[in-house]
Amino acid sequence: MEYSFNVYNSLAQSGEVLALKKILPEINHPPVIVCIGSDLSVGDSLGPVTGTKLKEKLKGLNVYVYGTLAKPITAHEVKYTNQFIKNTHPDSTVIAIDAAVGVAGDIGLIRVAKRGLKPGSGANKRLAKVGDVSVMGIVAEKSLFNYSLFSATRLNVVYKMAEIIAEGVATFIIEAMQSAALRARTDMVLSSLHA
């Protein structure tokens, strides 16, 4: 199950929210968001920029965001991060966010999928899968020289994509948490009526 939205489509953000609702109809434990990337390259900064925006939007909520501009999670930290999340948040759903490469016509697409992502696969790195759900922004064309293309990526595309992804994920999480709280209150009322 995969959904794609163009960053220049005015409905991309609401489409992202609907896709996440379809993939994750219920959230019963505090969600974990892992934003992968580095602030050393514009093309690879989608994760940390999105993570920074999500931290602001979800401040004060019982949500865990890892990978920001202040504390990025690069491909090198992925194996440690996976183990940390498994130990610290064993029952939580993990949403992984990262930049990706694709064919020229896919640049600017935001892909939401019901599977984890493999960071660094565009650069032929073999790293562990991250997350239960992935949100990827295609920022450059796949080629043998990905690093140079990643550094030639326009900051405007990355920033706009980060804004849409962060707003969509934050909206989804806030609505999912409100639904979970409402279900819990309803269950409490129903159980007190039957007591």
Side-chain angles (χ1 to χ4, degrees), residues 73-105:
I73 294 175
T74 65
H76 301 294
E77 284 104 18
V78 165
K79 62 181 169 190
Y80 310 110
T81 305
N82 270 344
Q83 195 55 53
F84 169 78
I85 289 169
K86 217 173 272 173
N87 295 341
T88 315
H89 312 283
D91 300 321
S92 294
T93 298
V94 179
I95 299 172
I97 299 171
D98 197 6
V101 293
V103 297

Side-chain angles (χ1 to χ4, degrees), residues 8 12 14 73 112-114 116-117 122 124 128 132 147 153 157-158 171 179:
Y8 297 107
S14 51
I73 294 175
V112 181
K114 189 180 183 166
L117 57 83
N124 297 321
D132 304 302
Y147 186 76
T153 304
V157 172
V158 171
T171 301
S179 294

